[in-house]
């Protein structure tokens, strides 16, 4: 119906219209986008076979290395870092014809839940610009919600795809650990990090996952198993699917609006022929405490590479080598990143490693066993994605504990290495989106997508079709 160039130009127009309010991007790659689009149009004119993403404008979180384009992790440390190589996940997008419109803003080094720790300024939520978009992939989520790209890649270590997807009313999928290559993803916590799509429908998430999933010899943790046909799985019937609602996710501290929307979603799944029942995962609540030992420990090791020598920032005026490293790290890292490095270094230090790090690894196993027991009875598990909807900018940024609690429901899934999807399931009383989380057993992305798609098709239009207020006035003046 339209050329890749027309679609790209319309998307760039929308991006330019919303970006002054949102600040969802660290870099906009308009020239590259138009060149990508022209190549697709030329291929089509020449009758060459086109990839499934040919001409589709996408955005990429700024912690995935893009060859020749700044990859900052929203940190002063990497402000001028231009990678000499491309991440595997993004390389696969370009091979299938996708068009890069820009790199998206994030919490610094993906540490945060609000995109407020970015060294280059916060991103706003398109549903209510005084609220945060969630994080750390807040730029990707806001860009998709506002139509500044058709879909985006994010990364999820403890909820960073699903929680912003939930806050911005879009779909976000964290695949099984090892499903998508981490080659070229700037490491935060290597045993938890995973790349995945943010999109405006479940079908789009399936399209992107189809392209980025699969073994990569450059990532030793990438799984050597075939990639199923995710698109085909969308058409499979959901009748008889056993869904367990995790009881521990509906207690005190969960907003009543959220509980109400999730219960309505569960009833909807029931009406579709799924069997929805309660299940208990008693260790679920230990996820945050466990994660805030393991993730900072891994981060403290991974971030040791930013020493002012190999690449990234180097502070001026140092008296000697040690002084240079200390100054570089003090200037290059923001307060949240420094806090994580300090926590992790402490948890791994000689006198404490058994009491903290090793103990946390044992609890991690217990959490995994809880899920194993639940999956013996159920095909999928269901929770809210977040205990609340988007909170006001500035509200939690000085209270790390309140910020960490935003990931209560998403973190245990990373600790267990499982796939999970967040999809819109309604609006709260302020008109802000609520996210439903479906959790699958290892490598069960197809089933997740199948049930999520069935729900999305059956739910009221409000649940998945409404557009954030920010873009409503633009729908007729720019791209629609
Ligand atoms: N918000 C969590 C954290 O700050 C998770 C972040 C993520 O998934 N990258 O660590």
């Amino acid at each position: 119906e339209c050329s890749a160039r027309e679609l790209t130009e319309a998307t760039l127009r929308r991006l330019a219209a919303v970006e002054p309010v949102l600040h969802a991007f660290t870099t906009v790659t308009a020239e590259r986008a138009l060149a990508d689009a022209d190549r697709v149009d030329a291929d089509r004119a020449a009758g060459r076979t086109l990839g499934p993403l040919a001409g589709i404008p996408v955005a990429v979180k700024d912690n995935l290395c893009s060859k020749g384009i700044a990859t900052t992790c929203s940190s002063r440390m990497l402000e001028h870092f231009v990678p000499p190589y491309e991440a595997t996940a993004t390389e696969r997008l370009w091979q299938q014809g996708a068009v890069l419109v820009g790199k998206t803003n994030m919490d610094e080094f993906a540490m945060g839940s609000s995109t407020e720790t970015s060294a280059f300024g916060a991103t706003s939520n398109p549903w209510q610009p005084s609220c945060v978009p969630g994080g750390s992939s807040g730029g990707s989520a806001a860009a998709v919600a506002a139509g500044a790209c058709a879909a985006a890649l994010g990364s999820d270590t403890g909820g960073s795809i699903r929680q912003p997807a939930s806050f911005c009313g879009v779909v976000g999928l964290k695949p099984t650990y090892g499903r998508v290559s981490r080659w070229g993803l700037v490491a935060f916590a290597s045993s938890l990090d995973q790349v995945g799509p943010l999109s405006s429908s479940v079908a789009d998430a399936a399209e992107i996952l189809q392209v980025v999933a699969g073994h990569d010899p450059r990532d030793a943790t990438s799984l050597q198993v075939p990639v199923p046909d995710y698109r085909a799985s969308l058409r499979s019937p959901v009748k008889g699917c056993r869904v367990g609602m995790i009881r521990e996710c509906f207690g005190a501290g969960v907003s009543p609006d959220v509980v109400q929307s999730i219960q309505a979603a569960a009833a909807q799944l029931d009406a579709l022929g799924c069997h929805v029942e309660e299940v208990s995962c008693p260790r679920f609540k230990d996820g945050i405490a466990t994660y805030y030992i393991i993730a900072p420990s891994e981060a403290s090791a991974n971030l040791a590479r930013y020493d002012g020598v190999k690449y990234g920032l180097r502070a001026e005026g140092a008296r000697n080598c040690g002084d240079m490293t200390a100054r570089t790290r003090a200037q290059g890292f923001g307060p949240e990143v420094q806090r994580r490095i300090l926590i992790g270094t402490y948890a791994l230090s000689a006198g404490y490693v058994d009491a903290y790090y090793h103990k946390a690894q044992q609890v991690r196993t217990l959490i995994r066993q809880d899920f194993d027991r639940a999956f013996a009875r159920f095909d999928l598990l269901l929770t809210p994605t977040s205990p609340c909807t988007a909170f006001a900018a500035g509200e939690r940024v000085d209270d790390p504990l309140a910020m960490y609690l935003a990931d209560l429901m998403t973190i245990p899934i990373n600790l267990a290495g499982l796939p999970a999807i967040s999809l819109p399931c309604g609006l709260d009383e302020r008109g802000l989106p609520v996210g439903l989380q479906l959790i699958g057993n290892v490598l069960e992305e197809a089933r997740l997508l199948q049930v999520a798609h069935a729900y999305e098709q059956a739910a009221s239009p409000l649940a998945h079709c409404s557009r954030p207020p920010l873009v409503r006035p633009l729908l007729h003046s720019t791209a629609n």
Side-chain angles (χ1 to χ4, degrees):
E1 285 173 28
C2 66
S3 68
R5 185 168 188 106
E6 284 166 331
L7 181 59
T8 301
E9 282 176 345
T11 304
L12 291 171
R13 271 200 302 280
R14 171 73 69 81
L15 191 160
V18 296
E19 183 60 0
V21 178
L22 293 184
H23 187 238
F25 289 84
T26 47
T27 306
V28 176
T29 53
E31 247 173 67
R32 146 99 186 242
L34 293 170
D36 286 351
D38 286 345
R39 208 168 315 118
V40 169
D41 287 333
D43 283 348
R44 183 157 62 175
R48 281 190 276 270
T49 316
L50 299 179
L53 300 180
I56 302 301
V58 299
V60 171
K61 187 176 182 179
D62 211 13
N63 60 352
L64 281 154
C65 286
S66 9
K67 188 173 179 179
I69 295 168
T71 299
T72 68
C73 286
S74 291
S75 179
R76 294 274 168 227
M77 190 60 93
L78 291 179
E79 191 171 359
H80 303 293
F81 174 56
V82 178
Y85 67 102
E86 185 76 22
T88 298
T90 54
E91 184 65 51
R92 290 181 179 181
L93 293 181
W94 318 142
Q95 278 164 2
Q96 299 308 325
V99 168
L100 175 68
V101 296
K103 303 294 296 285
T104 56
N105 198 19
M106 53 186 279
D107 281 296
E108 185 178 2
F109 281 103
M111 297 172 188
S113 311
S114 67
T115 316
E116 292 172 288
T117 72
S118 166
F120 310 125
T123 295
S124 296
N125 189 315
W127 291 81
Q128 174 50 266
S130 63
C131 288
V132 302
S136 64
S137 313
S140 290
V144 172
C149 55
L153 287 185
S155 69
D156 191 313
T157 305
S160 278
I161 290 175
R162 291 159 287 158
Q163 186 257 15
S166 152
F167 280 18
C168 291
V170 300
V171 175
L173 173 69
K174 183 203 92 76
T176 305
Y177 182 77
R179 176 79 287 185
V180 178
S181 169
R182 292 183 296 112
W183 168 262
L185 170 70
V186 179
F188 163 9
S190 306
S191 78
L192 301 160
D193 298 339
Q194 187 59 198
V195 176
L198 294 104
S199 58
S200 49
S201 71
V202 176
D204 286 357
E207 292 287 348
I208 304 272
L209 182 65
Q210 196 74 56
V211 167
V212 298
H215 180 247
D216 174 13
R218 289 176 298 187
D219 172 2
T221 62
S222 123
L223 297 169
Q224 290 212 42
V225 287
V227 178
D229 187 340
Y230 295 120
R231 291 181 208 108
S233 70
L234 296 178
R235 293 188 295 272
S236 318
V238 299
K239 206 166 157 35
C241 180
R242 299 162 305 166
V243 180
M245 274 175 84
I246 301 185
R247 185 178 305 137
E248 286 74 11
C249 294
F250 294 87
V254 185
S255 134
D257 280 6
V258 170
V259 172
Q260 212 182 6
S261 294
I262 301 298
Q263 278 168 346
Q268 179 73 258
L269 287 175
D270 211 70
L272 287 167
C274 298
H275 302 299
V276 186
E277 255 179 72
E278 267 197 10
V279 61
S280 172
C281 288
R283 292 284 172 189
F284 204 87
K285 61 176 186 344
D286 298 327
I288 294 238
T290 309
Y291 174 90
Y292 277 99
I293 299 295
I294 292 175
S297 295
E298 296 185 14
S300 74
N302 275 328
L303 273 61
R305 72 191 64 173
Y306 307 105
D307 54 5
V309 177
K310 295 185 273 295
Y311 53 81
L313 182 78
R314 175 179 297 179
E316 302 287 328
R319 292 184 305 278
N320 55 45
C321 185
D323 186 40
M324 188 268 287
T325 299
R327 285 177 191 232
T328 297
R329 290 168 71 79
Q331 283 173 26
F333 292 136
E336 184 58 31
V337 175
Q338 294 191 16
R339 176 164 28 244
R340 304 288 177 109
I341 293 172
L342 289 171
I343 297 173
T345 306
Y346 183 82
L348 291 176
S349 61
Y352 295 100
V353 67
D354 283 329
Y356 291 107
Y357 183 73
H358 291 151
K359 179 72 83 188
Q361 292 290 20
Q362 290 169 331
V363 180
R364 183 175 188 174
T365 301
L366 296 177
I367 292 172
R368 174 65 193 263
Q369 288 170 347
D370 251 19
F371 282 117
D372 287 346
R373 270 189 294 275
F375 282 118
R377 288 177 50 213
F378 295 99
D379 301 309
L380 290 182
L381 302 175
L382 177 157
T383 72
T385 304
S386 162
C388 61
T389 50
F391 45 86
E395 188 182 291
R396 300 191 183 195
V397 73
D398 296 321
D399 184 351
L401 204 54
M403 191 68 89
Y404 296 173
L405 286 172
D407 300 308
L408 194 68
M409 321 252 179
T410 48
I411 274 177
I413 288 85
N414 298 72
L415 289 167
L418 303 170
I421 191 166
S422 176
L423 63 161
C425 70
L427 301 175
D428 74 358
E429 59 178 16
R430 297 176 298 159
L432 297 177
V434 178
L436 165 72
Q437 174 172 249
L438 297 173
I439 307 160
N441 208 343
V442 172
L443 290 172
E444 296 269 287
E445 284 84 357
R447 200 194 296 264
L448 271 184
L449 290 162
Q450 167 197 355
V451 174
H453 179 71
Y455 169 77
E456 183 191 67
Q457 298 305 305
S460 77
L462 194 79
H464 63 92
C465 290
S466 61
R467 284 286 186 179
L470 177 69
V471 304
R472 279 179 212 152
L474 300 172
L475 284 177
H476 300 291
S477 58
T478 64
N480 44 41

